[in-house]
Amino acid sequence: MPGVQDLFGGLSYPGGINDVDLRKLRYFVAVARHLHFGRAALELHIAQPVLSRQIRALERELHAELFARDRRGAELTDAGHQLLAEAVPLLQAAGALRRRVALAARGRHRFVVAFMPGLIVTEAVRQLADAHPGLVVDVLRSTWLEQTEVLHDGRADVSYLRLPVDQRGLTVRPLFTEPRVVVVPREHRLAGKESTGVAELADEHLLQDPDVVPEWRDIATELRTPGRPPQTSPILAVEEKLEHVAAGRGLVVLPLSTARFYTRPDLAYVRIDDISDNRVCLAWQASRRSALVTEFAALAERYPAA
């Protein structure tokens, strides 16, 4: 049975702020979010003078002014922006650590592997469980929006990611790449073709964030026509996107393994030859120092999830 240190590791705080009170950081983030001491104090359920004193104390500890204050509110200084970028993942890591320690205190030695649809993680999970009979190795299906969130909030110890994602606060290890396909209705002009080029999609509507497919974004008619506002689509789950594709409301670009996972008779999948492959990585909190994480990372490289 691995010990608590092996299971949960420790936290190292980058940026030279090891001795900063996490409570003061929470106060700082609240003020940075509202840019107003009064509204932040209401959210934190403390008196505004107390909040102001805590922020002043934090500034003294860091030897930096974090907010430019006036009667209307507050604005982040350059130092404040820098601290905010590092404080948020640090507070998330602290919350995740509390979650892991609470589980250990209740005798629940658990390691959670998050994965995106289409990725098969069975063999790496089985190998870790076989090597540690007293350890419960669970899996957690994540979504595009949750794939890093599950690491920051402590729901997962490691997560299989599909790039691009915000990698701040994470250690990210590349695993493999795979082609991407466009999903079209069965009666679409591209259906039945083995492959296509992104130029063939220029006049189509994409049912996802254009930044996910920059090659399409840069040539898309709806994004380049003066005076023509682009159609907007809410961020949807894969299943919802596919329903919209089948109804003829637009197209979606998916990694090949995801498309295979969601095979439907009313849709066709056509490989796009001239866009970048999807990159799959394994990630965990950069602050974690865990032998189990290191061991699973090696297993993930040995047993591809494709």
Side-chain angles (χ1 to χ4, degrees), residues 22-157:
L22 291 180
R23 180 184 57 181
K24 292 191 184 78
L25 284 183
R26 284 193 290 271
Y27 290 172
F28 162 77
V29 170
V31 178
R33 184 166 57 250
H34 290 283
L35 293 177
H36 193 279
F37 279 78
R39 289 193 289 269
L42 285 173
E43 177 192 311
L44 296 165
H45 303 291
I46 62 174
Q48 183 175 334
V50 173
L51 177 59
S52 296
R53 286 197 297 271
Q54 292 294 314
I55 297 299
R56 290 290 190 192
L58 179 60
E59 290 176 320
R60 287 195 298 272
E61 291 171 12
L62 295 177
H63 306 289
E65 184 180 28
L66 302 174
F67 294 101
R69 301 159 174 84
D70 59 30
R71 291 182 178 179
R72 293 174 296 178
E75 294 291 335
L76 283 167
T77 64
D78 288 345
H81 281 291
Q82 180 64 42
L83 181 60
L84 182 61
E86 300 200 32
V88 171
L90 186 120
L91 290 171
Q92 291 171 329
L97 176 61
R98 283 194 293 269
R99 182 194 293 258
R100 291 192 296 270
V101 171
L103 287 172
R106 296 197 295 270
R108 296 174 61 189
H109 299 291
R110 186 167 173 254
F111 189 89
V112 180
V113 178
F115 66 98
M116 291 280 285
L119 298 178
I120 300 172
V121 302
T122 309
E123 191 56 38
V125 167
R126 180 187 292 125
Q127 292 288 334
L128 187 70
D130 289 347
H132 301 275
L135 178 68
V136 176
V137 185
D138 280 341
V139 292
L140 173 67
R141 179 191 181 278
S142 65
T143 66
W144 184 269
L145 294 179
E146 291 181 317
Q147 56 180 332
T148 58
E149 207 173 275
V150 295
L151 295 173
H152 292 310
D153 65 18
R155 281 179 286 165
D157 294 276

Side-chain angles (χ1 to χ4, degrees), residues 226-244:
R228 177 184 174 185
Q231 302 177 57
T232 57
S233 300
I235 297 174
L236 306 170
V238 174
E239 296 90 341
E240 293 170 317
K241 287 191 180 80
L242 295 183
E243 287 294 335
H244 283 276

Side-chain angles (χ1 to χ4, degrees), residues 114-273:
F115 66 98
M116 291 280 285
L119 298 178
I120 300 172
V121 302
T122 309
E123 191 56 38
V125 167
R126 180 187 292 125
Q127 292 288 334
L128 187 70
D130 289 347
H132 301 275
L135 178 68
V136 176
V137 185
D138 280 341
V139 292
L140 173 67
R141 179 191 181 278
S142 65
T143 66
W144 184 269
L145 294 179
E146 291 181 317
Q147 56 180 332
T148 58
E149 207 173 275
V150 295
L151 295 173
H152 292 310
D153 65 18
R155 281 179 286 165
D157 294 276
V158 295
S159 179
Y160 284 82
L161 309 180
R162 293 191 184 277
L163 300 186
V165 298
D166 184 351
Q167 298 184 26
R168 287 178 295 181
L170 301 177
T171 297
V172 178
R173 182 170 297 179
L175 295 177
F176 61 90
T177 63
E178 60 174 322
R180 289 192 287 173
V181 301
V182 60
V183 186
V184 301
R186 179 59 67 182
E187 64 276 8
H188 192 273
R189 60 186 173 82
L190 295 177
K193 295 187 66 174
E194 184 176 333
S195 65
T196 188
V198 71
E200 288 288 321
L201 309 178
D203 293 332
E204 303 283 355
H205 173 55
L206 202 66
L207 294 165
Q208 58 202 122
D209 184 346
D211 289 340
V212 176
V213 193
E215 299 91 346
W216 175 87
R217 178 199 62 203
D218 295 340
I219 64 171
T221 302
E222 69 178 39
L223 299 182
R224 296 169 62 87
T225 304
R228 177 184 174 185
Q231 302 177 57
T232 57
S233 300
I235 297 174
L236 306 170
V238 174
E239 296 90 341
E240 293 170 317
K241 287 191 180 80
L242 295 183
E243 287 294 335
H244 283 276
V245 172
R249 296 171 186 157
L251 309 180
V252 64
V253 174
L254 297 176
L256 179 59
S257 62
T258 304
R260 286 173 173 165
F261 183 81
Y262 287 104
T263 298
R264 293 173 45 149
D266 53 351
L267 299 176
Y269 307 90
V270 184
R271 178 170 177 164
I272 308 174
D273 288 328

